[in-house]
């Protein structure tokens, strides 16, 4: 038989098989018209402010401490394969300056070098597919991807109970949970600086970027497809907000708010104007640099930086040559605290470094102590019992930044418009993952039909050479691929959720995919 005749026979048989009454292709429904409808994108509705979904509404646990059951020994990669990404939901579990005091935040705080470890531990829990952690002085948040959100939240709660020692009843009262679009919207607002104590501050974007880098690091990070896309979108959104709006212009940081607090309180607390103050700073990192930057224009008398190593203080001396900076070693900490009028604490210490025990009897005059670290570096409540001391922590900055926030309401609305666009794009991408199983089933269905028809014609193809059989194989594969390319491409490009759902159902009926998993 001539090759042309064989090919014609194969194609006729395949077409008859695919569109036979029993194949399901002809079993159309009037709703199937959506398959041919033009792909229109509906404008996203204006997004209102999120409301915190309290954890006690999510997870009906008793107030007793729950022992965390032993998790299955999943590796991270194994864990990520438990459920398809399209079936998972983003959940944010955390607390911030809006929901918890610094005393509670410091108990849950995770040092940056442990973010990856906590993420990996979380992905070992049965219901958690991906995880990412961000912990700053004003917030502690865990982002997870889970196909069972109620169970996933419960497992996170139990994990935090075991890690922090906080009773579950207190965790339920303090933590918030945000699921799906609310969780994504929150992440975008955080990166954009709209959920910060100081609206528009830039440090949170750097911290979110670090969360992305650590969470996606090969073998060490615990973010998979969904959280990688979420964190990348959040960082991109944060950059857009700052470049396309004025939210970051004229704003303040935690450090500048702390300096403003001192300027407001120094006469009342110390009887001195700001330009009469000698300043001590514990630590020489980014927050210390910002403190120096905002103290310099106020012409303070001197700035004494206490740090473990001399390199960073020297960098600040070179960066601010007119700031009258003097560097000191760590063993001079108490001496400098006693000598100077105001001491700012911004170290990475996990325990207080200035306490009533080590300052009582040491202070030479009345001093102000301002702690902008979490966990706290200063025992503010205990030290405020001393006559020679007035101590403040990061929560005392709220009154200082309230006026700043009131002035920036219009900028917040403008920034949220940018974030809404990013939210819509992420949600469309995430929802499109749900079409992957349908596309895979359609490909398998088409291949099954093609192979069946080739087998039926095996006897008629027996006279062909190996090269001719390969031509038939390639040709039939190519025809099948072109036939199903249209439906698959259309399915991938549908932005509207309802249209996408209708199209999936239509394809499943038309190609009889329900029974071909």
């Amino acid at each position: 038989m001539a090759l042309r005749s064989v090919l014609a026979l194969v194609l006729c048989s395949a077409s008859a098989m695919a569109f036979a009454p029993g194949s399901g292709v002809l079993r159309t429904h009037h709703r199937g018209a959506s398959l041919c409808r033009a792909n229109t994108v509906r404008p996203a509705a204006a997004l209102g402010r999120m409301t915190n979904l309290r954890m006690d509404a999510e997870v009906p646990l008793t107030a007793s401490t729950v022992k965390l059951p032993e998790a299955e020994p999943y590796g991270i990669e194994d864990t990520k394969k438990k459920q398809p990404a399209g079936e998972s939901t983003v959940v944010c579990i955390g607390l911030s300056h809006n929901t918890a005091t610094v005393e509670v935040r410091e108990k849950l705080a995770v040092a940056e070098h442990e973010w990856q470890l906590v993420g990996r531990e979380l992905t070992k829990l049965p219901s958690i597919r991906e995880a990412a952690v961000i912990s700053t002085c004003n917030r502690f948040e865990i982002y997870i991807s889970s196909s069972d959100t109620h169970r996933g939240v419960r497992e996170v709660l139990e994990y935090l109970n075991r890690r922090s020692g906080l009773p579950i009843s207190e965790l339920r009262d303090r933590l918030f949970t945000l699921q799906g679009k609310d969780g994504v919207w929150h992440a975008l607002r955080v990166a954009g600086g709209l959920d910060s104590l100081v609206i528009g501050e830039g440090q949170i974007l750097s911290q979110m970027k670090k969360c992305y880098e650590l969470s996606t690091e090969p073998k060490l990070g615990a973010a998979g497809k969904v959280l990688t896309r979420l964190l990348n979108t959040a960082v991109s959104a944060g950059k857009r907000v700052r470049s396309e709006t004025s939210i970051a212009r004229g704003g303040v940081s935690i450090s500048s708010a702390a300096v403003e607090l001192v300027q407001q309180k120094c006469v009342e607390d110390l009887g001195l104007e700001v330009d009469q103050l000698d300043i001590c700073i514990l630590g020489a990192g980014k927050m210390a640099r910002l403190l120096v930057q905002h103290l310099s224009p106020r012409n303070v008398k001197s700035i004494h930086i206490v740090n473990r190593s001399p390199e960073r203080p020297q960098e600040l001396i070179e960066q601010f040559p007119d700031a009258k900076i003097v560097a000191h070693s760590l063993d001079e900490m108490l001496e400098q605290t006693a000598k100077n009028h105001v001491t700012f604490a911004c170290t990475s210490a996990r325990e207080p470094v200035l306490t009533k025990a080590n300052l009582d009897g040491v202070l030479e005059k009345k001093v102000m102590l301002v702690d902008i670290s979490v966990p706290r570096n200063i025992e503010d409540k205990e030290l405020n019992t001393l006559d020679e001391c007035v101590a403040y922590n990061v929560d005392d900055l709220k009154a200082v930044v309230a006026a700043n926030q009131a002035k920036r309401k219009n900028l917040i609305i403008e920034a949220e418009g940018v974030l809404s666009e990013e939210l819509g794009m992420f949600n469309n991408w995430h929802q499109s993952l749900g079409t992957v199983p349908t596309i895979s089933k359609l490909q398998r269905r088409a291949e099954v039909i093609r192979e069946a028809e080739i087998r039926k014609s095996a006897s008629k193809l027996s006279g062909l050479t190996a090269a001719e059989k390969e031509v038939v194989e390639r040709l039939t594969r190519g025809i099948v691929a072109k036939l199903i390319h249209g439906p698959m491409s259309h399915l991938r490009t549908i932005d509207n959720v309802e249209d996408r759902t209708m199209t999936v159902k239509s394809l499943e009926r038309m190609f009889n995919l329900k029974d071909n998993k």
Side-chain angles (χ1 to χ4, degrees):
M1 182 182 297
L3 178 58
R4 181 180 301 177
S5 301
V6 172
L7 293 178
L9 177 63
V10 169
L11 294 176
C12 289
S13 296
S15 300
M17 180 67 178
F19 291 92
S23 69
V25 173
L26 297 180
R27 281 187 242 153
T28 58
H29 191 278
H30 67 279
R31 288 183 176 180
S34 65
L35 184 64
C36 302
R37 189 160 43 191
N39 180 23
T40 57
V41 180
R42 301 177 183 176
L47 292 166
R49 294 185 180 278
M50 66 161 193
T51 55
N52 288 345
L53 178 61
R54 305 297 296 188
M55 187 166 280
D56 50 348
E58 279 295 322
V59 188
L61 293 175
T62 62
S64 60
T65 300
V66 178
K67 178 177 173 58
L68 184 65
E70 289 298 321
E72 293 294 325
Y74 298 113
I76 294 176
E77 294 303 318
D78 293 334
T79 306
K80 292 178 180 178
K81 295 175 183 176
K82 286 189 284 186
Q83 293 288 341
E87 297 179 13
S88 65
T89 300
V90 172
V91 183
C92 175
I93 305 158
L95 46 76
S96 70
H97 60 93
N98 292 317
T99 63
T101 62
V102 65
E103 289 88 352
V104 175
R105 299 202 302 273
E106 67 185 2
K107 291 177 182 177
L108 289 174
V110 178
E112 186 180 291
H113 67 271
E114 293 184 326
W115 291 3
Q116 290 178 325
L117 172 63
V118 172
R120 292 197 302 272
E121 289 178 344
L122 287 169
T123 54
K124 291 178 182 178
L125 301 175
S127 303
I128 298 176
R129 192 169 179 274
E130 307 173 35
V133 177
I134 182 170
S135 181
T136 73
C137 60
N138 281 321
R139 72 182 62 255
F140 165 74
E141 292 174 355
I142 292 173
Y143 292 88
I144 64 170
S145 173
S146 174
S147 56
D148 186 341
T149 56
H150 285 266
R151 187 176 174 187
V153 170
R154 180 191 295 272
E155 289 168 0
V156 171
L157 188 63
E158 293 172 346
Y159 172 84
L160 294 177
N161 160 245
R162 190 167 77 170
R163 178 181 173 85
S164 69
L166 287 172
I168 285 183
S169 58
E170 186 170 358
L171 289 170
R172 290 169 61 194
D173 288 339
R174 301 294 185 183
L175 292 169
F176 61 78
T177 63
L178 299 165
Q179 300 185 22
K181 289 184 179 180
D182 288 337
V184 176
W185 180 240
H186 177 71
L188 299 184
R189 294 188 85 252
V190 168
L194 305 190
D195 194 62
S196 296
L197 175 62
V198 180
I199 298 298
E201 56 100 1
Q203 192 171 6
I204 187 60
L205 179 58
S206 298
Q207 292 160 336
M208 187 64 86
K209 184 178 180 182
K210 176 59 69 173
C211 175
Y212 166 75
E213 291 171 351
L214 293 176
S215 300
T216 58
E217 186 177 352
K219 298 184 179 179
L220 295 176
K225 179 183 289 187
V226 174
L227 291 189
T228 294
R229 182 67 173 249
L230 170 63
L231 294 173
N232 186 45
T233 299
V235 172
S236 174
K239 292 178 180 177
R240 279 193 63 195
V241 161
R242 287 165 176 80
S243 64
E244 297 178 22
T245 75
S246 301
I247 195 70
R249 295 174 195 164
V252 293
S253 63
I254 297 296
S255 298
S256 67
V259 172
E260 182 71 22
L261 175 70
V262 169
Q263 186 167 5
Q264 291 180 7
K265 297 287 188 179
C266 61
V267 174
E268 176 185 343
D269 292 345
L270 304 176
L272 298 171
E273 296 290 348
V274 68
D275 59 1
Q276 298 176 291
L277 299 177
D278 292 303
I279 305 294
C280 176
I281 301 175
L282 307 184
K286 184 173 183 179
M287 298 188 83
R289 179 180 61 77
L290 292 172
L291 284 170
V292 175
Q293 178 179 317
H294 291 286
L295 286 167
S296 296
R298 289 169 168 83
N299 297 315
V300 295
K301 287 176 62 178
S302 63
I303 300 175
H304 300 261
I305 297 180
V306 176
N307 197 56
R308 187 180 303 275
S309 61
E311 290 81 14
R312 283 190 173 181
Q314 185 59 40
E315 291 175 5
L316 292 175
I317 291 172
E318 295 172 0
Q319 188 175 356
F320 301 95
D322 300 326
K324 304 169 191 173
I325 299 174
V326 181
H328 300 273
S329 61
L330 192 59
D331 56 10
E332 298 179 72
M333 178 182 69
L334 297 181
E335 177 187 351
Q336 291 303 316
T337 301
K339 283 183 177 181
N340 290 285
H341 300 105
V342 179
T343 295
F344 294 95
C346 51
T347 79
S348 58
R350 309 301 293 174
E351 301 289 340
V353 295
L354 296 181
T355 66
K356 183 178 180 181
N358 64 21
L359 287 181
D360 192 9
V362 175
L363 298 176
E364 302 174 359
K365 56 193 173 189
K366 192 165 186 179
V367 300
M368 286 178 68
L369 305 177
V370 183
D371 190 355
I372 55 176
S373 302
V374 177
R376 286 173 295 173
N377 290 175
I378 297 173
E379 279 185 352
D380 52 292
K381 289 184 178 180
E382 294 80 357
L383 283 166
N384 275 324
T385 63
L386 299 179
D387 294 336
E388 303 88 354
C389 181
V390 181
Y392 298 94
N393 64 42
V394 70
D395 284 349
D396 294 311
L397 303 179
K398 291 183 178 180
V400 176
V401 302
N404 172 268
Q405 293 181 355
K407 294 176 183 177
R408 302 168 75 78
K409 284 185 178 178
N410 289 337
L411 294 177
I412 292 174
I413 294 172
E414 184 182 355
E416 285 182 335
V418 174
L419 297 182
S420 296
E421 295 176 9
E422 295 287 342
L423 175 68
M425 288 188 286
F426 175 84
N427 284 336
N428 282 330
W429 171 83
H430 191 206
Q431 290 154 1
S432 72
L433 295 179
T435 66
V436 173
T438 299
I439 290 174
S440 298
K441 286 191 285 186
L442 178 58
Q443 290 172 325
R444 288 196 297 270
R445 172 68 170 162
E447 181 61 16
V448 166
I449 293 173
R450 188 193 71 82
E451 290 178 348
E453 294 307 306
I454 289 290
R455 285 195 299 272
K456 280 185 181 180
S457 304
S459 60
K460 298 174 182 178
L461 299 174
S462 59
L464 299 180
T465 65
E468 290 172 333
K469 288 180 180 178
E470 180 61 26
V471 170
V472 173
E473 188 76 13
R474 286 200 306 269
L475 183 60
T476 54
R477 286 183 187 276
I479 291 173
V480 167
K482 284 181 170 58
L483 283 172
I484 65 175
H485 175 72
M488 290 193 303
S489 297
H490 179 67
L491 192 56
R492 289 190 182 105
T493 57
I494 300 176
D495 292 325
N496 182 266
V497 178
E498 293 180 3
D499 288 350
R500 185 184 296 119
T501 302
M502 294 287 291
T503 302
V504 166
K505 290 180 179 179
S506 296
L507 285 173
E508 288 178 341
R509 286 192 300 268
M510 291 172 64
F511 290 96
N512 195 24
L513 302 181
K514 289 260 185 181
D515 301 325
N516 293 273
K517 297 182 179 179

